Amino acid sequence: MSDNRKYYYLKLKENFYNSETMVILESMQDGLLYSNLLLKMYLMSLKSGGILMLNDHLPHTPQTIATFTRHQVGTVERALKVFLEFGLVEILTDGAYYMADIQLLIGQSSTEGNGKRKSVCG
């Protein structure tokens, strides 16, 4: 039986933290928490193409985001307002949060693909 798992990863450019948005975000009160939260939310949304979903039918809420990211609910709520203002997050018609720039950051691989790369690259 083949164990071919898919892996998703974030590809951050070297100037990610020097972008105008990230500099402004991190300069805010609790900005470093927001920056950490943003990265965790990107990671949480990788498997679903940028949409923060608990399962196929249930979107994450600020409370569940707080639980999974280990941040305070109030911090998550304040951060989400900032993320919405900056265009980093959008709210879809079903109420789910969508990470707006996720398609620029997603990489994808599989165990099968990794094995082939290792055999070709030696």
Side-chain angles (χ1 to χ4, degrees), residues 44-110:
M44 289 170 58
S45 73
L46 283 175
K47 285 185 181 179
S48 56
I51 302 171
L52 287 166
M53 299 293 289
L54 272 170
N55 59 39
D56 291 338
H57 307 290
L58 189 61
H60 272 286
T61 64
Q63 291 77 21
T64 61
I65 293 169
T67 299
F68 283 96
T69 60
R70 293 171 303 284
H71 284 277
Q72 297 293 319
V73 175
T75 302
V76 171
E77 291 171 340
R78 288 187 304 276
L80 285 169
K81 287 179 186 176
V82 171
F83 297 163
L84 287 165
E85 288 175 16
F86 284 11
L88 298 169
V89 172
E90 298 171 6
I91 299 178
L92 303 178
T93 55
D94 64 356
Y97 293 101
Y98 174 72
M99 305 304 293
D101 292 334
I102 194 72
Q103 297 306 321
L104 302 172
L105 304 173
I106 290 180
Q108 185 175 336
S109 185
S110 67

